[in-house]
Amino acid sequence: MKGFRTVGSAQRFLSSFSRISPHFRSPRHRVTATAHRTELATRFPVWDQVTEQALAA
């Protein structure tokens, strides 16, 4: 529980993180470094749009 004060706070973080992390975790062992960087370059702007709308709501 590194950094978490309670089990509940760790569980809340992990439940959110498990939905978000696949968006940034690509199958790197199957693609070249250039393709991986290109994919992340397209995923981060999508994440920015999603978080902007969530913050505005």
Side-chain angles (χ1 to χ4, degrees):
M1 285 195 15
K2 295 185 178 201
F4 295 104
R5 296 186 189 271
T6 65
V7 175
S9 64
Q11 186 60 41
R12 281 190 301 277
F13 170 77
L14 291 173
S15 67
S16 299
F17 184 74
S18 66
R19 289 183 240 146
I20 295 167
S21 64
H23 183 73
F24 297 104
R25 225 183 305 150
S26 64
R28 285 177 281 188
H29 63 284
R30 296 186 211 155
V31 295
T32 63
T34 304
H36 176 69
R37 286 188 209 104
T38 304
E39 183 64 28
L40 284 182
T42 59
R43 290 180 183 200
F44 274 104
V46 170
W47 176 248
D48 289 339
Q49 289 176 352
V50 169
T51 55
E52 282 178 15
Q53 291 176 0
L55 292 175

